[in-house]
Amino acid sequence: ACGGGSSDGSSDAGDTGSAKSDVKVGLAYDVGGRGDQSFNDSAGVGLDKAKSEFGIDVKELEASANETDSAREERLRLLAQGGYNPVIAVGFAYATSLGKVAKEFPDVQFGIIDDSSLEKVSNVTSLVFAEEQGSFLVGAIAAEASKSGNVGFVGGVNTPLIQKFEAGFKQGAESVNKDIKVQVKYLTQPPDFAGFNAPDKGETTAQGMIDAGADVIYAAAGGSGSGVFKAIAAAGKGNWAIGVDSDQYLTADSAVKDYILTSMLKRVDTSVYDFIKSAVDGKVLTGKQEFDLSDEGIAYSTSNDAVKDYEAKADELKKQIISGDIKVSATP
Amino acid sequence: MSTTLETTTPPAAPAPERATRLSQPLRLALYALVALAVLSLIRVLTDANDLTSAGTVSAALTLAVPIGLAGLGGLWSERAGVVNIGLEGMMILGTFGAGWIGWQHGPWAGLLTAVLFGLIGGLVHAVATVTFGVDHVVSGVAINILGLGVTQYLAGELLADSPGGGETQSPPISALPRPSVPGLDGVLEPLEKHHWFLISDIAGILRGLLTNVSILTVLAVLLVIASYVILWQTPFGLRLRSVGEDPHAAESLGVKVRLYKYIAVAVSGGLAGLAGGFLAIVASGIYREGQTGGRGYIGLAAMIFGNWRPGGLMMGAGLFGYTDAMQLRNAVAVHALLLVVFALLLVVTALNLYRRKWVTAAVGLVFAVLSLVWYLNSDELPGPITTMTPYVTTLLVLALSAQRLRMPKADGLVYRPEGK
Amino acid sequence: MKSMNADTVRRVGLSLAAPALAIILSLAITSAVLAAAGNDPFDTFKQMIEYAKEPRTTAMIINGSVTYYFAALAVAFGFRMNLFNIGVDGQYRLAAMLAAAVGGAVSLPPILHVGLILLVAVLVGGLWAAVAGLLKVYRGVSEVISTIMLNSITTALIAFLLTTDKLAVQAEGSNNIGTKPIPASGQVPGIGLVPDSPLKVYGLIVLAVIVGFLYWFVIEHSRFGFDLRAAGRNEEAAVASGVNVKRMILISMAVSGGIAGLVGMPQLLGSSYTYSLDFPAGIGFTGIAIALLGRNTALGVAIGALLFGFLDNSSQILDLEGVPKEIVMITQGVIVLSVVIAYELVRRYRIVAQQREVGRRLSEPPAPAAGNDKTPQGAQA
Amino acid sequence: MPESEGAAQSETGAAATVPAVELSGITKRFPGVVANHDVNLRVRPGTVHAVVGENGAGKSTLMKTLYGMHKPDEGTITLNGEQVVLHSPADAIARGVGMVHQHFMLADNLTVLENVVLGAEPRRWGGFGLNRAAARTKIREIGKQYGLEVDPDEMVERLGVGDRQRVEIIKVLYRGARILVLDEPTAVLVPQEVDALFEALAVLKGQGLSIIFISHKLDEVRSVADDITVMRRGTTVATADPKTVSSRELAELMVGSELPSPQTSDSTVTDRPVLELSGINLIDGARHLLRDVTLTIHAGEVLGLAGVEGNGQAELVESIMGMRSVDSGTIKLTGDDITSWSTRRRREAGCGYIPEDRHRHGLILDAPLWENRILGHQSRKPNVRGPLVDRAGARTDTERIVREYDVRTPSIDVLANSLSGGNQQKLIVGREMSGNPKLLIAAHPTRGVDIGAQTAIWDLLRTARAEGLAVLLISADLDELIGLSDSLTVILRGELVAEVDPSTVTPEQLGSAMTGAGEAA
Ligand SMILES: Nc1ncnc2c1ncn2[C@@H]1O[C@H](COP(=O)(O)OP(=O)(O)OP(=O)(O)O)[C@@H](O)[C@H]1O
Ligand SMILES: Nc1ncnc2c1ncn2[C@@H]1O[C@H](COP(=O)(O)OP(=O)(O)OP(=O)(O)O)[C@@H](O)[C@H]1O
Ligand SMILES: [Mg+2]
Ligand SMILES: [Mg+2]
């Protein structure tokens, strides 16, 4: 449902790079902001790419922990008032505030990531992902790679969004081996969002799962994932970690990267880039833009050669999902 | 009863001033053994082998160290009569210091910076409370706000452009060595694997404590012991404690009260900073905003739990680390903890019956039955409930033991020298 | 007459000196930090003040303060009895969640509906705090530990209850979950307190004023307040005077928690109408700082809450100007410290001044004017 | 009047000896108060030199100056002929000055040993470690030598007052002091302990130590001192020869006027019982704090309770006031069984209470006087109206108390801690009498209070008794106890062991009954 799955590297808009567009883009991050090596950064990457290609003006604002809706509201309002258009809100927490601000600025196009509750509002573009689909594929890969028939899921914070990852992963694993044991653990409970920032907890939990027999662990835990990788690396050959959001094989520490079998790619960068591009092109995307396996907004990475053995099965499943033969539920 | 693990760790026993010598350590050892036997029995019965596995013990150790170090910081400060609610802020400063210098100049330099940053926080607290006579809680709360504000501000300025880092986190810091007692693993691992009664438990615990332990964990344990020796066995320590018990008496004997308070609070800050450094360097390998997650407060709680004594503090931190490790690692084992709670309550009820405290006994019995029923009627605890484990356990142990805690007498009182 | 006037002037001057000194000190330190990072301090402050003067921001500041006010009063109430209620944070979150769930589940006529929600909030907050009170009174567990633990337990409890098969609902297309929205009859309309502001001030500001007045009246003028303060200042003397300290601990813990229960209400009934995952947390800790800043008095706390509200909200503009808004957190910490330091400095100055005065008066008859310069020198050791 | 300027007689006594201590022209000001003004004091070596004066006369302040705790605003300190400037107690200690403070300067949570060696610790491990063994030996030696035996490893909080006083003196001797300052060391001791202390002082004096001794008990002063200096209103007004001066003359020097003569009193005891205790038992764990305590106090009767501190007096008082609940037995007040009543209810029913430790139990030190007036009477007029505090009423009544009970204070808005001890006590007495009590529990009502205030308090008690008040009097001052009481009971280890007739018993007999050493009366 979305225009163009422009993955990194290739870009058809390369020649417009020098031409300065007069579009000004405002982007409001979720808590954690730039440099979280995760979700927010991914949005930042999309923004940076658009900026360098289209020469646009950008303004990035950050959220602070424990803020109220009115603070979020004000942030969006400041951007809209400052003449930024489009304005992108990163994270579902902005939904309520955006609902109010969008009404105040009917001429500004807003984008919101991970929320589609405002899809009926004409000047809001919902940028959402079928995380369960990608998680299904890595779940299948995990089940294939596991020798013990025992895999783990480490969620950062117990929210419905992360539960989508869990749901997909479980179904995927069970589609390959219906007797597989899937251990599930969330590091913290909201509103304690420390679970995305706690590599030590990630490591302890992963270690516990390994001790209880798991040999493949999927880390949907933001910054805590590095702890999971450490635990897997410590367990040695034959154990695998699965990354999330971006291709973590490419960004992780050299000591652990070889243990990252694949990553579930959630192309927040693509969605941000596409949305800005549509605005620059003058045909701004509206309504609900769902990114999924079919448009590569959701995918799994293949940069680690080790995943080669399981690609056939994964691609087969991918086709079935796209065609609708397999329905992946979004709740565990 | 889950405190058993800690009583087997190195010696810094509580050593009360009037120890009924010889019998005290013996009695403690006996208690520990009985407790371990109960735990082992429950493990065998429930098949929850993680209750005493090396992995659990090792994770518990890592989780306990930052809390223990923060608590030790609190202990130094409060022994000199200065309440330090600002541990959290000093710890935050430590994590940042470790991350900022650590990724550029290696873990040892990072650690040193962490201590230094914490120490600076401690000095601010000392200036406010000792020199200016500010209420200790006010100053501590201010330092918590400042610690957070300063690190976030500095991270924005100093880490934003680092490779692989950002405004909220540092690039990875290289790891510190993790030595083992040589040859032990080969002997203990097979023993543990058999899941024999008691023997496997002991093997598991020893393996967790003695193999693959971070050098900084070793340092932390040494620091606890050193603190005991310094505070209780040296003239310096006596003076420092006297300042927290009765500064006017100390002053009247020529003790430089303010100097000792300054030293104590500075050391306190340094230890909290070290706790932060441990979190960043050993536990996580990076600095990340919000990394401390309230551990400064937990450290304070562990110190109070431990009756302002190093041995007790170790038990408190250990209990917390153990239950936290348990809930993070293994839901089955947490479920088995319900049985441990049942056993614990049963013992307490029996004691209360013996002491003819009928009401307390009845309350205990009701809760004992409830936990048993809950255990029998469930296979696993719901996820959110397991995350409560460390907090509930701490409360439960405190409520049951009803120990007479005794804080330093002049703790928290603003000291003004005679004639001011 | 003349000297009387001069005296009065000096006394007034001295009591204003502390806050003035504190503000200058914190501005100086904040400026230094700003300048060190290459930002223009004056420009930064100007930006914040300009922005705060916009009607909408003013309304936001007031709204923020109302929430802070409840939190700080809750903490202050405990402090008055030497109880350190770190648990305000957990108490208000649990109270808000359950009150929101009840509010969303029933349908009642407007006033009753709001009343019910507030009642549930106060009760839940009070009972949850009373757990710490009970543990302290009957088991001797320090309220500092128990409330720290209860905060974390609260988080787990809310996570357990706030799921779609229990108390929560998930809006179509949303990744957030929250309690069922409170219908209009349970909402509290805003008040157009700030002229020209499109944003209304929380209607519950009225409740804040009432609670603040009650706080002052009860503490300063009631027998209960007297007992409370007596127990806070000298527990043993209070016991000897017939105060039942155990009961007072229970009551004041519960009252503190009850006030804490109100912390989430302005936001819940005036703006979000649901308790969802992103309901603000951590206000209890800010409340501690504000209570201390306001010296636990109703008026002082109100001023502190406004100050924090101002810093929090007006700093939003800074990011837009490229100044890290974390700077205000530094300002907040410095203000808390410098206010108390300033009070101490002024106190010491007073003593020295008084000593000089006494010295001067006493040395007048025996030693004539010439000796005056020397006598006070040794006074301060 | 044995007044003599300077110390002429001492020159004759020990010609050419340099004074051990010479304070001259000392002035010390506190905010609002000149505590010492042109004070001159000269102490001969090897003597006991007493300093007497009313509460607030400036004795403690002067001694703290000598001990380096604060610097004088004017004046000089000369020790053994050498003029010194003392910056801290450490300086004073280094020059051989030791001080036992009026209030114990002991850390409760530390052991005797730790308290003693603090600041002068014997070392081991190359100077790093604390050498407890060496300290223990030395403390035992000092104990044997001067008869000051205390277990070095006991926690101070478990010690009685006598032992604490001993520890204070050991502390000073441990540091090798040659000049000893004892600020009211006997206020809390029973006669036997006082005698023991004086014996120790004699030994010390024999070894050439100089002792400055402060006390309000003038008989003691005359018996132990070699010289006496009198202070009044912050300055030294006279010296006296203990061999010739009478207590009465001394007191008049202190007050600066003639004293009223003590009244003898007729019995006013009625047969209306006010307080009846029967079979009171109080048990704490393994310890039996009160055992079968049974007693009756009638209207118009003062019942004296004699006992060494720590034998259950405090527990008994707390049981009667409802601050502790007894394990068995009944308490009746004018016929009503009040055993299960709360403290508040008991107070409302007419129990007044002058606590032993006024700072801990009697006052809120950082509250103004009028708020302290309300304390203990929070439910009664004129302090409250309904559920509200009646500020105006309380203030007016505080003014009355200040007037009637001669509380010396600039205003009723000053904080209680700015009053001197004696004035604090008068405020408490005034407050407790204002509630029209039927029963008054007076624990050490005149402890540390000067003669003027003491007489006033005694008069108050007598007047109230005549009006039908029942009084339970506890005091360490046996003269006071014998003089005021209509009947006397001795408490030992929580048991009432003897009843004695106050009209015939001597303090010595009473003292031995209290220690369980022999038969009384
Ligand atoms: N630190 C101080 N600050 C202010 N005033 C003080 C201080 N110390 C003593 N004073 C005042 O100085 C005066 C003398 O007090 P001091 O304690 O020397 O009397 P004292 O003779 O020892 O009385 P007492 O017999 O009650 O012990 C009193 O009015 C007292 O209130
Ligand atoms: N820091 C201080 N500020 C103000 N007044 C003080 C201070 N320290 C002591 N005082 C006052 O000085 C006086 C003398 O102090 P001291 O400790 O000798 O008590 P005291 O009057 O002898 O009391 P008591 O009779 O109960 O023993 C007391 O009235 C006390 O309130
Ligand atoms: Mg005195
Ligand atoms: Mg006195």
Side-chain angles (χ1 to χ4, degrees), chain A residues 76 80 86-88 98 101-102 105 108-112 123-125 275:
Chain A
L76 298 176
V87 171
I88 305 171
L98 183 55
V101 178
F105 299 91
V108 176
Q109 188 67 29
F110 294 90
I112 180 165
N123 63 330
V124 174
T125 311
F275 179 56

Side-chain angles (χ1 to χ4, degrees), chain C residues 99-109 112-114 116-117 180-183 185-186:
Chain C
V102 170
V106 303
S107 59
L108 282 172
L112 271 184
H113 200 164
V114 171
L116 176 71
I117 296 173
K180 236 173 102 190
I182 298 172
S185 59

Side-chain angles (χ1 to χ4, degrees), chain B residues 420, chain D residues 55 60 64 102-103 358-359 417-422 424 447-448:
Chain B
K420 289 228 169 154
Chain D
N55 285 130
S60 300
K64 286 176 184 171
Q102 181 171 359
H103 301 289
R358 53 181 165 261
H359 288 177
N417 66 10
S418 49
L419 293 195
S420 84
Q424 291 171 345
R447 175 178 282 177

Side-chain angles (χ1 to χ4, degrees), chain C residues 122-211:
Chain C
V122 169
L123 281 181
V124 170
L127 288 175
W128 197 226
V131 172
L134 284 172
L135 281 170
K136 184 180 177 80
V137 168
Y138 291 108
R139 305 306 302 168
V141 181
S142 151
E143 82 281 6
V144 175
I145 302 194
S146 58
T147 51
I148 290 174
M149 298 298 146
L150 285 171
N151 277 343
S152 303
I153 293 174
T154 308
T155 303
L157 206 57
I158 291 178
F160 178 65
L161 294 174
L162 198 65
T163 55
T164 43
D165 53 350
K166 296 199 187 70
L167 298 180
V169 291
Q170 188 168 10
E172 180 59 36
S174 169
N175 270 316
N176 204 344
I177 54 170
T179 55
K180 236 173 102 190
I182 298 172
S185 59
Q187 303 179 356
V188 177
I191 305 174
L193 208 57
V194 183
D196 299 333
S197 164
L199 179 69
K200 298 256 174 84
V201 170
Y202 288 142
L204 285 183
I205 190 172
V206 177
L207 185 65
V209 172
I210 294 172
V211 171

Side-chain angles (χ1 to χ4, degrees), chain D residues 59-60 102 183-184:
Chain D
K59 307 177 295 289
S60 300
Q102 181 171 359
D183 194 351
E184 291 192 39

Side-chain angles (χ1 to χ4, degrees), chain B residues 82-420:
Chain B
V82 180
V83 166
N84 194 350
I85 198 100
L87 288 170
E88 177 79 8
M90 299 171 196
M91 216 167 151
I92 293 175
L93 288 171
T95 54
F96 174 75
W100 174 47
I101 293 298
W103 80 268
Q104 307 177 69
H105 304 285
W108 290 111
L111 213 55
L112 218 62
T113 319
V115 173
L116 195 74
F117 275 31
L119 196 111
I120 292 172
L123 283 176
V124 172
H125 193 46
V127 170
T129 55
V130 182
T131 302
F132 288 108
V134 167
D135 182 276
H136 301 180
V137 174
V138 180
S139 170
V141 168
I143 283 170
N144 286 340
I145 302 177
L146 274 175
L148 201 63
V150 167
T151 50
Q152 291 189 2
Y153 184 83
L154 286 180
E157 302 283 341
L158 299 172
L159 292 178
D161 302 323
S162 57
E167 287 179 14
T168 54
Q169 75 168 31
S170 74
I173 312 160
S174 50
L176 287 168
R178 303 182 70 95
S180 298
V181 174
L184 215 56
D185 215 21
V187 182
L188 293 174
E189 198 183 350
L191 277 180
E192 192 190 343
K193 287 272 141 63
H194 282 96
H195 303 314
W196 287 326
F197 176 70
L198 216 50
I199 295 171
S200 295
D201 299 291
I202 293 173
I205 291 169
L206 285 181
R207 198 157 79 92
L209 292 177
L210 300 176
T211 62
N212 196 22
V213 175
S214 168
I215 190 90
L216 207 50
T217 304
V218 178
L219 181 71
V221 173
L222 289 179
L223 278 174
V224 175
I225 297 168
S227 295
Y228 167 74
V229 171
I230 291 173
L231 290 178
W232 272 271
Q233 300 299 337
T234 69
F236 169 84
L238 174 60
R239 292 176 188 194
L240 192 143
R241 283 184 298 128
S242 75
V243 160
E245 296 288 347
D246 190 340
H248 293 286
E251 182 194 16
S252 80
L253 292 177
V255 173
K256 294 192 173 110
V257 175
R258 288 173 177 223
L259 177 71
Y260 280 88
K261 283 184 183 264
Y262 256 89
I263 294 175
V265 180
V267 170
S268 170
L271 285 168
L274 183 64
F278 182 93
L279 270 182
I281 295 169
V282 178
S284 313
I286 53 166
Y287 155 76
R288 239 187 126 89
E289 194 180 298
Q291 197 166 29
T292 53
R295 280 187 184 81
Y297 293 103
I298 307 277
L300 198 72
M303 178 204 67
I304 299 175
F305 183 99
N307 200 9
W308 284 265
R309 298 186 137 277
L313 163 69
M314 265 169 88
M315 304 239 299
L319 174 66
F320 201 89
Y322 175 72
T323 45
D324 202 18
M326 194 67 84
Q327 69 91 4
L328 280 170
R329 283 170 55 87
N330 195 310
V332 180
V334 175
H335 188 232
L337 275 184
L338 274 178
L339 264 192
V340 178
V341 169
F342 166 72
L344 186 69
L345 284 170
L346 220 54
V347 171
V348 173
T349 304
L351 272 176
N352 278 324
L353 284 177
Y354 174 74
R355 291 195 196 124
R356 293 157 183 274
K357 292 188 175 168
W358 307 120
V359 180
T360 327
V363 172
L365 195 64
V366 168
F367 279 97
V369 171
L370 279 182
S371 49
L372 186 66
V373 169
W374 192 5
Y375 174 80
L376 294 175
N377 283 304
S378 59
D379 296 327
E380 223 178 77
L381 297 180
I385 299 294
T386 59
T387 55
M388 293 183 190
T389 313
Y391 312 100
V392 174
T393 313
T394 305
L395 269 188
L396 199 70
V397 170
L398 269 180
L400 287 179
S401 59
Q403 50 184 320
R404 286 269 194 90
L405 297 181
R406 192 162 50 184
M407 70 171 178
K409 254 219 165 119
D411 199 10
L413 303 181
V414 170
Y415 161 76
R416 296 208 172 86
E418 190 73 28
K420 289 228 169 154

Side-chain angles (χ1 to χ4, degrees), chain C residues 217 220-224 226-227 229-230 233-234 236-237 239-243 351 354-355 358-359 362 375 378-379, chain D residues 29 31-32 34 73-74 343-344 347 359-361 363-364 366-367 371 374 376 378-379 384 386-389 391:
Chain C
F217 189 77
E220 298 295 333
H221 286 280
S222 74
R223 270 165 60 181
F224 173 80
F226 184 91
D227 286 354
R229 283 182 297 137
R233 289 191 277 191
N234 186 346
E236 285 176 294
V239 170
S241 84
V243 176
I351 290 176
Q354 211 177 2
Q355 261 169 353
V358 174
L362 290 161
T375 33
Chain D
R29 301 181 197 96
V34 184
D73 297 332
E74 288 160 34
T343 303
R344 164 114 349 134
R347 275 182 163 274
H359 288 177
R360 262 177 62 192
H361 291 122
L363 294 168
I364 299 176
D366 56 358
E371 285 195 27
I374 301 176
Q378 292 102 311
S379 50
V384 294
L388 299 184
V389 171
R391 288 186 178 218

